[in-house]
Amino acid sequence: MADAVERGGAGGHAGVIGGGGRLGAVRILLWALAAVLGVRQAAAVLRVPPGEWLGGLDLPGSPPGPLYGSGQFSGTPFAGLVLKPLAGFAAPSLEVAWTCVTLLLVAAVGLVAARALPDPVPRRTALLAAPALVALMMASLPVREAASPGQTAVLPVLLVLLAVFRVPGGRPAGFLAGLAAALQPALLLFAPLLWLTGRRPAARAAAATFAGATALSWASLPRDSWTYWVEYLAGTGLGAAPDALANQSLHGALLRLGLSGPGEIALALALAAAVAWTGLRRAVRYARDGQLLLAVAVTGCVAVAVSPAGWRHQLLWVLLAVAGKVGRRAADRRVWPVAVVLAVSLPSAVLLPNLAALAPVRDNVLLLAALAAACAVPFLPRSSPYWRRPVPTAYAEPADARWSRIPLLPFWRRVNSRPNLLLELLLIRVGYSIYSHIRAAAPTSRSLAEGNGGQILRTERALGIDIEHAVNRAVVDTPWLEAFFNFYYTSFHFVVPLTILAVLYWRRPADYRWARASLGLATVLALAGFWLYPLAPPRLMPGLGFVDTVHGVQDLANPSYGAMTAISNQYAAMPSLHFGWSLWCGTVIVVLAPRGWQKLLGALHPLITVCAIVATANHWVLDAVGGAAVVAAGFGLVHVLSGPRGLKAAVPGQRRTAADADAPDADAPDADAPDPVRTPARSGRP
């Protein structure tokens, strides 16, 4: 294992401490971002009332008292023994010191982990790994929860990393690993890892240190030790109920599924044994392969998963698992890091919709990420030819700038190959969730929205296009037409765009990227409109006589305007994305559909949609004009950034024709290509 440490990057690339040009500037920006996130985290923690600091210890002062009297403290008796003297310190100074030390520990974890990346490490990675990792950890859910008063989850991670990578010799390293296990018992799994990778003195020292620290806590706090180890079975149920969402262990997941009793305990033990066996074998294999940081991350994920109570703030190991490489294609290398960062940074409600069928996944996102890292993700060995040279991504032929003053961005290159499906689904889901949150957070001042509504109505009257009331009354007086427009308004807004994206992804991947980028940019521009111009739709304008055919009669004397207003921001109306997305659908179909009847259906969709949004009193005519403007801007920005649609990958010696430019690229060379050593890389960078 000592050889693995040397190969694993404990020296080599760590000496690169400076950089020039753009890399140096990016490095400074990343450190600045990490500092800002740290300050934000510190400000959030310091807002905790002084009386709640270390309140979970249930110790009003220095005299002895029960650690688990309130049931809030979830640490080991040894951790309580270490923290007990802190209860006598003054609250303000203790708050500041605790917060600063916790954030410094996070920075230390990032620095040690970045220096432990397996060689060879590119210069860019060596320069940017530490600040990028520290920034990600500062924004992660485990660190945000671990920085709360009385938590010590970051310290065991740092102790293990120091034991494995920075402390020479067996016994000192084992002492640190044993201290980590005394604070978090499941980390005793690192003793078998040390033993199986050839560091047996360190393994023995780790086990002896854990036993000694536990014996010391039994001697000093016998009642608390009995409560923790016997009554609560290694802390299960302390701090929160065993089936609480914060318990991201196999035991907690089984309890949330409704299992209980001896059967649940037997199943939990069987699953824990299988995960420990599989994960430790993989960790040993990665350590012998020179990927020691990945081995440590896998073992940490196993430890939290098999623990009776594996809290969210203990799952920082998942983020360290990004050290592993997954996928033979360059386009696939981003999937695992993106999935991990999203899982540890965003609430589960953002990652998955609120559907009952998805509850088992949504409630256990961090656990599933840990289990995937420990048992399932096929990390590449360093002996693989794809480790250093993955199958290159096929880029389109470089395009000239649309205007001389607006050059194509160097990093925005047209890719012809089909993107990774998992990455696309993750980004689409997270993007839509962020869009929904921003839309809901847009200004909702009733007086401002109604004033803007009056302004829109006066403008339409001046232009002679104020047809909303006449159309709305005509539809209300025609029941079958009202039913048709209500159905069209509520049914096709999401179904048609998602169907078009799915068809393009499967049949025309290069055009999928073009269409997806234009839709995303148009939606971002629409969010700016929601913020800058809150607008009351016709159905929420008092005294004008509009009938809300979709949502029912609205009580305009009630500021909540009924149930629908509680669900979403009803003043996010300008521009109309109902019409904008339909116009995007129609444009894509008209441009790409091979048959005339398909183009006709595509052209009819935005026409019917604009009739529906006006007839149901959900939008003004000018809202549709705003929707058309943002969609046109979205297509225009993609044209400026990426060049014309449909460019094929540049092949040396081959001339590109107009027919080639419009042909679908279903069989992209980015699929399962031959050995990358024999495949020349294509570069499409302008």
Side-chain angles (χ1 to χ4, degrees):
M1 190 166 179
D3 294 339
V5 173
E6 294 176 3
R7 295 195 307 268
H13 68 274
V16 183
I17 59 174
R22 287 185 299 177
L23 278 181
V26 172
R27 190 167 188 258
I28 293 174
L29 289 176
L30 285 174
W31 277 120
L33 175 62
V36 169
L37 293 173
V39 171
R40 187 197 69 170
Q41 181 62 41
V45 175
L46 292 176
R47 283 197 293 267
V48 176
E52 295 183 15
W53 271 89
L54 294 181
L57 290 175
D58 200 25
L59 295 176
S62 56
L67 288 174
Y68 308 107
S70 65
Q72 297 177 9
F73 181 61
S74 59
T76 64
F78 179 75
L81 188 64
V82 173
L83 295 175
K84 195 180 184 67
L86 298 179
F89 285 86
S93 59
L94 179 61
E95 295 174 13
V96 175
W98 186 282
T99 304
C100 292
V101 169
T102 300
L103 296 179
L104 288 175
L105 292 178
V106 173
V109 168
L111 289 171
V112 175
R115 292 166 65 93
L117 292 173
D119 287 328
V121 177
R123 180 171 178 270
R124 180 177 64 178
T125 302
L127 285 172
L128 304 182
L133 184 56
V134 172
L136 288 174
M137 287 193 296
M138 290 294 184
S140 67
L141 294 173
V143 167
R144 295 207 294 265
E145 295 192 6
S148 59
Q151 299 293 352
T152 59
V154 180
L155 181 58
V157 177
L158 179 60
L159 290 175
V160 169
L161 292 178
L162 291 175
V164 174
F165 296 107
R166 309 310 303 170
V167 176
R171 291 181 180 176
F175 175 74
L176 293 181
L179 284 180
L183 296 172
Q184 188 177 331
L187 297 185
L188 193 60
L189 280 174
F190 279 98
L193 177 67
L194 293 170
W195 183 276
L196 295 172
T197 51
R199 299 183 66 178
R200 298 190 174 185
R204 287 192 291 265
T209 302
F210 170 77
T214 304
L216 177 63
S217 63
W218 271 97
S220 303
L221 304 170
R223 177 56 187 168
D224 290 320
S225 297
W226 176 270
T227 300
Y228 181 86
W229 291 106
V230 179
E231 293 182 10
Y232 282 93
L233 297 177
T236 306
L238 289 173
D243 60 348
L245 293 180
N247 184 8
Q248 291 290 300
S249 68
L250 288 168
H251 177 53
L254 292 177
L255 292 176
R256 285 190 290 274
L257 290 175
L259 303 178
S260 61
E264 184 275 329
I265 295 176
L267 180 58
L269 291 175
L271 291 176
V275 170
W277 173 262
T278 304
L280 281 177
R281 290 189 63 184
R282 282 163 54 93
V284 171
R285 185 166 67 249
Y286 297 138
R288 292 173 177 171
D289 185 56
Q291 301 185 66
L292 193 51
L293 179 59
L294 179 59
V296 169
V298 166
T299 307
C301 291
V302 172
V304 179
V306 303
S307 176
W311 306 112
R312 276 193 300 241
H313 59 265
Q314 298 173 343
L315 276 165
L316 195 58
W317 305 103
V318 178
L319 190 55
L320 299 181
V322 298
K325 295 184 179 180
V326 183
R328 296 186 301 172
R329 305 188 309 167
D332 294 338
R333 287 291 169 88
R334 295 184 293 271
V335 177
W336 172 244
V338 168
V340 168
V341 170
L342 294 179
V344 302
S345 302
L346 297 177
S348 57
V350 175
L351 296 174
L352 294 169
N354 188 19
L355 299 176
L358 297 177
V361 178
R362 188 178 60 251
D363 294 344
N364 303 289
V365 168
L366 280 175
L367 171 63
L368 293 175
L371 291 176
C375 304
V377 177
F379 297 109
L380 287 174
R382 296 174 71 218
S383 58
S384 170
Y386 302 98
W387 168 266
R388 296 186 63 182
R389 298 184 62 186
V391 176
T393 301
Y395 294 104
E397 187 179 78
D400 295 331
R402 299 300 95 204
W403 297 282
S404 59
R405 295 182 180 274
I406 308 179
L408 291 172
L409 296 181
F411 60 84
W412 192 302
R413 296 181 287 171
R414 176 69 59 80
V415 180
N416 279 353
S417 58
R418 181 177 291 108
N420 185 281
L421 181 58
L422 176 59
L423 183 60
E424 288 297 301
L425 293 176
L426 283 172
L427 294 179
I428 289 174
R429 170 59 197 170
V430 172
Y432 179 72
S433 183
I434 293 174
Y435 155 77
S436 299
H437 281 79
I438 294 177
R439 172 178 170 143
T444 58
S445 169
R446 176 177 178 179
S447 60
L448 178 60
E450 290 179 355
N452 290 336
Q455 186 181 63
I456 290 291
L457 180 58
R458 289 191 296 271
T459 303
E460 290 188 352
R461 285 173 177 171
L463 297 174
I465 58 174
D466 56 326
I467 61 173
E468 292 88 356
H469 189 270
V471 173
N472 179 244
R473 297 307 308 180
V475 168
V476 170
D477 293 337
T478 312
W480 69 267
L481 195 57
E482 178 184 355
F484 170 76
F485 280 129
N486 288 348
F487 173 78
Y488 206 92
Y489 180 87
T490 57
S491 301
F492 293 96
H493 182 45
F494 295 106
V495 172
V496 177
L498 291 176
T499 301
I500 291 175
L501 288 174
V503 172
L504 292 180
Y505 178 87
W506 182 252
R507 300 296 300 272
R508 307 185 69 157
D511 289 326
Y512 166 81
R513 294 178 182 272
W514 163 77
R516 180 251 284 144
S518 60
L519 180 63
L521 290 172
T523 304
V524 170
L525 294 174
L527 287 175
F530 299 156
W531 272 97
L532 298 175
Y533 199 76
L535 175 65
R539 63 185 177 84
L540 296 183
M541 288 291 289
L544 297 183
F546 286 97
V547 177
D548 187 348
T549 64
V550 175
H551 309 119
V553 178
Q554 300 292 319
D555 180 10
L556 299 184
N558 181 0
S560 67
Y561 291 151
M564 283 302 299
T565 306
I567 297 175
S568 63
N569 184 359
Q570 301 297 288
Y571 295 143
M574 171 62 84
S576 169
L577 279 186
H578 236 93
F579 175 72
W581 286 2
S582 70
L583 180 62
W584 173 87
C585 295
T587 303
V588 171
I589 293 174
V590 169
V591 171
L592 300 179
R595 295 179 175 83
W597 65 269
Q598 295 171 339
K599 295 179 184 291
L600 178 61
L601 288 178
L604 288 176
H605 178 53
L607 294 177
I608 299 175
T609 300
V610 72
C611 295
I613 64 175
V614 173
T616 58
N618 276 279
H619 284 285
W620 306 94
V621 172
L622 287 181
D623 294 349
V625 176
V630 295
V631 169
F635 281 116
L637 285 174
V638 172
H639 190 71
V640 169
L641 295 172
S642 301
R645 178 195 63 83
L647 292 176
K648 287 184 69 65
V651 179
Q654 179 177 340
R655 200 167 189 180
R656 191 169 61 87
T657 64
D660 291 331
D662 291 331
D665 192 15
D667 298 323
D670 197 20
D672 292 332
D675 191 321
V677 176
R678 300 180 182 178
T679 304
R682 298 190 181 105
S683 176
R685 185 179 294 276

